[in-house]
Amino acid sequence: MILRSQVAGCGAYLPERIITNCELAGRLDTSDEWIRQRTGIGERRVAAAGELTSDLAFRAAQRALASAGMNGNDLQAVCAGFIFALSVADNALRLGQARTALVIGAETFSRILDWEDRGTCVLFGDGAGALVLRSVSDPSPSGRFILSNHLHSDGRQYDILYVDGGPSSTRASGFLRMQGREVFRQAVQHLSEVIDEALRANDLTAADIDWLVPHQANSRIIDAMGRKLGLSADKIVMTIEEHANTSAASIPLALEAAVDDGRIKPGHLVLMEALGGGLSWGASLVRW
Ligand code: ACO
């Protein structure tokens, strides 16, 4: 019997507090124009005092389970990078180790940002998103399931994007540190390669893609991926203007937005890609 993972539900949650670019410009040497032009970001959400990453994850998970018509009796939360978590869950379903899986991306980057560093604090926001997967047996080749996941990492690049501090240093929790230009360069190169890899592995071309749902790090990186695939802007799901970069939460938040407003429909071919600290990067192809 062949088992495959099908998306059964999708949900997301954003904290209530919005920080606009103009609010940041009131306390940092930056401007709405600079941030929009360099990144596409207009505002970001930040968790309330006492609102934990797990609270965001819980709310997104509740909504994903409700949309799948399931309850949480057999759920298992995962909080690594979303593509990596999706791949782990997909493997467990394909091997018959689980029948359903809840994959959550939840982040409160506002707590690891140096709010006086304009090079990083304008870029990130808090949020959570989740998918419910269920196993389907003996699907047809054109059936609705995860087609493939492609994961890569390169530890030699660890110091271009990391969080300093930690228990073995002087501070218990550190701040995000980033060499923005180098991350940008690496992102364009690696994401292009992994998109090619995902398409080739499935004997598909860019013309087959219905939706690109990229990690929402920077609108210029996303535009570069769209140009590479020859996809028009209306085939790319973008939430960066409203959410900023929510790290592992950004793909499920974008998926939920596009499912909720009816853009992504059952049977559509959805390509997701992301790059993050480590460096680590990957892509997933799903027939929704
Ligand atoms: N407001 C105004 N000016 C600023 C700001 C700001 N918020 N931040 C930096 N500047 C200034 C710099 O000081 C510099 O000034 P100078 O020319 O006088 O020296 C100028 O703007 C240009 O700075 P650069 O860093 O060269 O600008 P760049 O065009 O590279 O854009 C950015 C910076 C937006 C960070 C870009 O490099 C980028 O997006 N990189 C990718 C980052 C990324 O994707 N990170 C996340 C991936 S991983 C994850 O999501 C967990």
Side-chain angles (χ1 to χ4, degrees), residues 30 34 38-39 118 161 178 180-181 215 217-218 245 275:
T30 189
W34 190 97
R38 300 288 175 124
T39 68
R118 67 177 185 173
L161 181 58
M178 181 176 75
R181 284 212 165 175
H215 170 44
N218 184 306
N245 179 350
L275 174 134

Side-chain angles (χ1 to χ4, degrees), residues 119-141:
T120 52
C121 78
V122 305
L123 302 174
F124 295 92
D126 300 342
L131 287 189
V132 177
L133 303 178
R134 68 172 155 230
S135 70
V136 285
S137 44
D138 300 321
S140 73

